[in-house]
Amino acid sequence: MINKSIPEFKVEAFHDGEFKTITDADVKGKWSIFLFYPADFTFVCPTELEDMANQYEELQKLGVEVYSVSTDTHFCHKAWHDSSDAIGKIKFPMLGDPTGAITRGFDVMIEEAAQALRGTFLANPEGIIKVAEIHDLGIGRSAKDMVRKVKAAQYVAEHDGEVCPAAWEEGQKTLTPSLDLVGKI
């Protein structure tokens, strides 16, 4: 998935109290996180979505839009948003994917369950995937670590020739790969 384009799509979403049509063309032009989860009204999913909602303001400052995606409909997303305190915190678009087109396009569909794995993808403004992370259903993700990965991806995009080492945090030293670094790290 890395360095491939996001798939083409056109779906309905619940966002800002309204139903909206969102396409792959709409997400281009800024950094985007696609946060796939198995289903609304479940157990680990609301903890992950609330965690991402808690990081949303920082992600917005970084020029990133978040799109949560499940194979539920936009109607189901609205009902969940209206009935759950955790999901009620969400300000990012909740994409409905009842046909599974986006979920299959990102290769996270569990066919026998018609649900998504816990997949997180970061795409650059051109719609090219730069981070792909897939978890089994029982393992929740960390939005804070995703913010760190966004900062690293943006740094690398803006600083040609530099790379970010393991656990890199903003402001720490980076590396410039070269022959004289071989065997010295």
Side-chain angles (χ1 to χ4, degrees), residues 94-170:
M94 301 178 74
L95 308 186
D97 186 28
T99 68
I102 304 171
T103 305
R104 284 185 190 92
F106 279 90
D107 199 24
V108 290
M109 177 65 93
I110 306 167
E111 291 296 340
E112 62 275 10
Q115 294 179 332
L117 289 166
R118 296 189 191 290
T120 311
F121 301 88
L122 174 65
N124 70 12
E126 292 76 38
I128 306 300
I129 298 169
K130 294 298 177 181
V131 172
E133 177 181 34
I134 301 173
H135 289 218
D136 194 14
L137 298 183
I139 303 167
R141 296 162 281 187
S142 167
K144 184 178 178 183
D145 194 50
M146 191 64 203
V147 171
R148 184 190 68 78
K149 291 174 186 177
V150 165
K151 290 177 180 179
Q154 290 178 339
Y155 186 93
V156 168
E158 295 167 6
H159 298 87
D160 191 36
E162 291 184 51
V163 296
C164 296
W168 178 86
E169 295 282 347
E170 186 175 31

